[in-house]
Amino acid sequence: MKNTSPPRKYSIKNIKKTPQHVVDFNFYSFEQFLKDAEHLTKSHRHDFYTFVLTVDGVGSHIIDFEEYEIKPRRLFFINYDQIHSWKLDGPIHGKIILFSKSFYNLIYTGNSDIRSDTALENLPTYVDIEEEDFSSWLSVCGHIEHEFKKSEKFSEEVTCLLLKTCVLKMERIAENSNPASSRTDHKSMLVDAFKKLVNVNFRELKTTSDYAHELSITANYLNSLVKESLGKPAGTVIRNRVILEAKRLLSHSDLSVRQISLELGFTDNSHFGKYFKKSTGLTPDTYRKNSINN
């Protein structure tokens, strides 16, 4: 039987052997990163942010149970605590940037477009960079690598600013791919606030009305805003977050289904089972058995 113990959580310092002073930031070529890193093909978490820019290679990247193809000019963003692993079918070339919240906030700004608690939380899992724009991304990565290796006066500050550049550039690509997401009016601010509330409160609050109350608007208005912005009802966003956490716990913990139902705010075990099956088509026990056997 496959071990269901929790996936290991890595820091920047221990994900690979690094110099003693490396705590909040590191930079690797993909080839360098994969040396002595067989453990990273197993599901694991990070207590840091990661940018992965692929130049070429074959394989896939599994992030929170979704499998994404590795392909040229694809930029991945991995958030804190996401469960992920790699399936590599050959050599990969690219750049990997690891950085903590404290490092990103080294230079503080009140601009919500680049604050860590807003911009980074809203970045997509990946974007595909146009060929004509790719050289500018490689240039930014080159500058970051240069500052990291030189470690001169203000190198950390310059690197922090370059990271903020990456965030803005990635968000711009995402918005160009989905123009409806580029609004910065009051409506989009409400949708962003809703997403943050769901991520923090999904264990306790599970209805659109709960979140509408928190935002001081009606449930119908919140549902309309979310559907317009995200293409799905507010209730689906809430349910998806609960189910994601349930899948994480079923696949990567030794908690019983009863304990998981309590962890997710369900006082009735049968209610959790029906809730899970409605979204996945499987009972929690069946999902766990399938994940163990895969």
Side-chain angles (χ1 to χ4, degrees):
M1 183 175 175
K2 190 178 184 180
N3 184 13
T4 58
S5 59
R8 181 167 179 182
K9 188 170 184 176
Y10 291 102
S11 67
I12 292 175
K13 190 173 181 62
N14 70 17
I15 195 166
K16 277 179 66 71
K17 292 180 180 178
T18 57
Q20 290 298 311
H21 68 279
V22 174
V23 176
D24 290 324
F25 179 87
N26 214 334
F27 182 97
Y28 297 95
S29 68
F30 214 117
E31 306 91 304
Q32 176 191 13
F33 188 72
L34 290 180
K35 288 180 180 177
D36 304 317
E38 293 83 359
H39 57 294
L40 300 181
T41 61
K42 299 177 182 178
S43 295
H44 60 280
R45 297 176 187 256
H46 300 163
D47 69 349
F48 53 86
Y49 298 117
T50 307
F51 279 125
V52 180
L53 180 65
T54 56
V55 176
D56 59 58
V58 182
S60 58
H61 193 181
I62 302 162
I63 306 173
D64 275 337
F65 311 100
E66 294 290 333
E67 189 164 352
Y68 305 94
E69 181 185 0
I70 294 172
K71 57 194 298 188
R73 305 193 312 276
R74 177 159 284 184
L75 175 68
F76 289 100
F77 174 71
I78 308 168
N79 209 328
Y80 272 64
D81 283 328
Q82 286 191 293
I83 294 176
H84 80 117
S85 60
W86 298 92
K87 286 184 181 178
L88 306 178
D89 300 323
I92 307 289
H93 299 94
K95 310 294 182 184
I96 296 181
I97 303 170
L98 319 178
F99 59 102
S100 68
K101 289 180 182 179
S102 60
F103 188 89
Y104 185 82
N105 288 324
L106 182 65
I107 296 179
Y108 174 77
T109 172
N111 187 325
S112 62
D113 289 330
I114 52 178
R115 284 208 314 258
S116 65
D117 62 339
T118 51
L120 287 161
E121 294 305 313
N122 289 324
L123 287 180
T125 301
Y126 75 88
V127 296
D128 290 321
I129 301 167
E130 295 292 337
E131 189 171 1
E132 59 267 26
D133 297 327
F134 195 56
S135 61
S136 70
W137 277 93
L138 291 177
S139 177
V140 171
C141 288
H143 288 310
I144 291 174
E145 182 177 17
H146 172 80
E147 292 295 334
F148 176 63
K149 289 182 176 178
K150 293 276 285 187
S151 191
E152 296 179 332
K153 185 177 182 181
F154 300 131
S155 281
E156 289 190 344
E157 287 80 3
V158 170
T159 301
C160 178
L161 291 171
L162 289 168
L163 283 172
K164 294 180 189 297
T165 299
C166 291
V167 169
L168 292 174
K169 285 165 68 71
M170 187 176 192
E171 186 174 349
R172 182 168 61 190
I173 294 171
E175 289 179 353
N176 287 342
S177 301
N178 180 18
S181 70
S182 63
R183 300 172 308 164
T184 55
D185 56 16
H186 181 62
K187 292 181 179 180
S188 64
M189 291 172 65
L190 282 172
V191 173
D192 285 345
F194 165 71
K195 290 191 293 184
K196 288 178 197 170
L197 282 172
V198 170
N199 205 40
V200 172
N201 300 291
F202 66 88
R203 293 175 180 84
E204 296 83 20
L205 307 180
K206 292 190 172 60
T207 70
T208 302
S209 296
D210 290 334
Y211 291 94
H213 176 74
E214 293 293 316
L215 295 168
S216 300
I217 57 178
T218 68
N220 285 341
Y221 185 51
L222 175 59
N223 196 54
S224 175
L225 290 179
V226 173
K227 198 167 184 179
E228 179 185 353
S229 178
L230 304 180
K232 63 187 77 171
T236 300
V237 175
I238 299 163
R239 181 180 291 271
N240 286 350
R241 184 63 185 89
V242 177
I243 295 300
L244 170 60
E245 200 66 23
K247 286 180 175 179
R248 287 174 170 175
L249 293 170
L250 288 166
S251 299
H252 300 290
S253 83
D254 291 321
L255 296 176
S256 68
V257 172
R258 169 67 176 165
Q259 289 171 318
I260 290 171
S261 69
L262 293 173
E263 171 71 16
L264 296 177
F266 295 90
T267 55
D268 184 343
N269 193 38
S270 65
H271 180 203
F272 168 61
K274 292 175 183 176
Y275 187 97
F276 188 86
K277 187 172 183 179
K278 184 177 180 180
S279 292
T280 66
L282 301 171
T283 66
D285 281 318
T286 302
Y287 180 87
R288 167 168 272 174
K289 289 175 184 175
N290 289 348
S291 69
I292 290 172
N293 293 327
N294 287 338

